[in-house]
Amino acid sequence: MTPEHASELTAKVCALAPVIPVLVVEDAAHAADLARALIEGGLPALEVTLRTPSALEVIREMARVEGGVVGAGTLLSPEDVEAAKEAGATFGVCPGATKRILDACEANDLPLLPAAATASEVLRLYERGYTVQKFFPAEVNGGVPALKAIGAPIPQVKFCPTGGVSLRNAPEYLSLSNTLCVGGSWVAPKEMVASGDWAGITRLAAEAAALPR
Ligand code: 3PG
């Protein structure tokens, strides 16, 4: 898959809702209920981070839930890319971008949302063909003013800012012309997942899904 095609596909994922939930799921037994709760609230694009031993199983379970678009986050190696693809992830997210990971995603036909935090990083990915990128970690890299400033000289690249984004600051990001959606973990707090508070998670998702952009 070319980077251009990958970006076309990740743009479609970003268009599904204003927020992509960033999920750290410890127990695969929670996966299907969590996916249903978020989808019911209006957030169909789900990023399952490869940060727990059960993450690949979580992707497998969530991929079976109707109405969801399940991606793998925290891709740190070509092996992660292959495992995520095999588990059923339909897109990938990386906290940065390396040649090995870009090569692996392109070779395995896994549309990647690669991350950049500076104008040079954005440009390097743009040179390769990635017009949709994650701005990470967003808040500590200057947040909304930084992303707006990057957009002035490089309006061709659109972003999914992630890292420190919350219900409070999401509207400012979403109002930027170079922001397609935001990523955030606030819609699926660990305690609510652990206690099975699916109705509560659906409420948080609905609140996020209603954000204007
Ligand atoms: C992450 O890598 O955990 C994501 O960027 C989510 O960040 P957040 O917890 O600040 O939403």
Side-chain angles (χ1 to χ4, degrees), residues 34-70:
L34 174 58
R36 277 189 215 103
L38 290 164
I39 295 165
E40 194 187 325
L43 302 180
L46 309 173
E47 176 190 335
V48 179
T49 60
L50 300 190
R51 292 189 211 166
T52 60
S54 59
L56 292 170
E57 187 55 27
V58 171
I59 291 173
R60 269 187 212 103
E61 293 291 325
M62 287 192 171
R64 291 196 196 106
V65 177
E66 208 178 319
V69 175
V70 183

